[in-house]
Amino acid sequence: MTAQEIFRLPAIDFIETEICDLYWQYEHHCYYNKAEKEAIKQLLAVRKRLLDKEFVMDDNYKQLLCDFNKALSEQLLQMRLAVISAYNAVKQTTADHDVTAIGKCFMAYQFSPLHPKQSKYEKDIWNILSGAYDDFVPFYQDGVISSGWQYSGGEPESENNMLYLSEKTDNWNEGLSPELTSDMHLIYPFHNLYEHTCFSIFDLLWVRDFNVEISVEYDYAYIRTNSLFLT
């Protein structure tokens, strides 16, 4: 089946409708109903399982996944340089304080125009998944890397370490066809999204844009000294 046909399956259509209707109720209740929010999380997990069950790797999907992996890798490496630059800029003005720069990479909040199904429901589902509509996806609060990427001075972590690539593990392709993905060098952040969050493989394949957040924190102690003058 094509991706379009999979998204038109009655089970997929039903659960996406349920998620969107439940979100409308949650919004109507001003985001206070914890039971509705938890129900949405559970339904997102079910949706992922249903979609991933229908996924069969082929040459077309392999190319799409390769393009996603490349785009994500490039964005993360650009973020790494920006985090180091932000650290250095702040450190120059606060040389005596401990400085930490943190970068977080999220998939774009805007629904990918490349996705084969451009329905209102699919766009609403993306807003729910991506965090544009509140926080519904565990392990994605800090983006594609848990806790983000941090730099506090000294020799920065290497590019490969940031992507969790090494001589022993240079392809995070668990759960996918070993034969078709053996040469893909899939990075850990993809694995994190695919294995540990509610994003289906069909949510990732067409993503090419990302949002990056960089923050800088510094800590210092102000010590007041009291002098005793003897006369």
Side-chain angles (χ1 to χ4, degrees):
M1 284 189 293
T2 65
Q4 293 91 330
E5 291 171 333
I6 290 172
F7 276 101
R8 286 198 295 265
L9 288 172
I12 304 299
D13 185 65
F14 173 79
I15 200 163
E16 290 193 337
T17 301
E18 287 291 301
I19 291 170
C20 292
D21 288 348
L22 193 57
Y23 175 78
W24 182 87
Q25 295 176 40
Y26 178 65
E27 183 181 41
H28 182 70
H29 293 146
C30 301
Y31 310 102
Y32 291 135
N33 193 314
K34 293 182 179 179
E36 289 172 347
K37 184 172 185 178
E38 187 59 32
I40 291 172
K41 290 182 178 180
Q42 296 298 323
L43 289 175
L44 288 174
V46 174
R47 172 186 176 274
K48 171 185 170 59
R49 289 196 295 270
L50 290 174
L51 284 170
D52 288 348
K53 183 179 178 181
E54 300 296 333
F55 179 73
V56 178
M57 180 67 81
D58 58 21
D59 289 338
N60 177 52
Y61 287 144
K62 178 178 179 178
Q63 186 58 57
L64 289 170
L65 180 55
C66 181
D67 293 343
F68 169 75
N69 190 65
K70 179 180 178 182
L72 178 57
S73 299
E74 291 176 349
Q75 183 63 79
L76 287 170
L77 295 181
Q78 291 176 18
M79 184 187 77
R80 174 181 175 274
L81 295 177
V83 168
I84 294 171
S85 296
Y87 167 87
N88 290 332
V90 174
K91 189 65 175 177
Q92 289 180 1
T93 63
T94 58
D96 296 332
H97 307 320
D98 294 330
V99 176
T100 299
I102 304 168
K104 297 181 180 181
C105 177
F106 300 86
M107 290 180 288
Y109 294 120
Q110 181 180 4
F111 187 58
S112 173
L114 302 176
H115 198 281
K117 186 179 180 185
Q118 293 289 322
S119 70
K120 180 182 184 302
Y121 275 138
E122 214 56 46
K123 293 177 181 179
D124 285 343
I125 291 290
W126 181 254
N127 286 333
I128 292 169
L129 282 168
S130 68
Y133 291 170
D134 209 332
D135 170 25
F136 293 99
V137 181
F139 307 114
Y140 187 67
Q141 290 87 343
D142 294 320
V144 303
I145 299 178
S146 299
S147 301
W149 190 75
Q150 302 184 18
Y151 177 62
S152 301
E155 184 67 26
E157 181 183 31
S158 70
E159 293 182 351
N160 277 349
N161 281 347
M162 179 192 193
L163 303 177
Y164 288 71
L165 299 178
S166 66
E167 292 183 0
K168 292 183 178 180
T169 305
D170 70 343
N171 192 16
W172 292 87
N173 63 342
E174 290 89 337
L176 299 172
S177 168
E179 295 80 12
L180 285 175
T181 60
S182 61
D183 60 343
M184 293 188 67
H185 305 290
L186 296 168
I187 60 176
Y188 179 82
F190 157 72
H191 167 82
N192 182 50
L193 291 169
Y194 178 52
E195 290 287 337
H196 301 150
T197 74
C198 294
F199 289 97
S200 161
I201 188 71
F202 289 106
D203 297 316
L204 306 177
L205 290 176
W206 292 276
V207 174
R208 301 292 180 269
D209 299 314
F210 305 88
N211 288 346
V212 170
E213 299 177 3
I214 296 176
S215 60
V216 181
E217 303 173 354
Y218 68 92
D219 298 323
Y220 66 93
Y222 177 74
I223 302 175
R224 173 179 294 175
T225 58
N226 295 318
S227 300
L228 178 64
F229 296 92
L230 299 179
T231 58

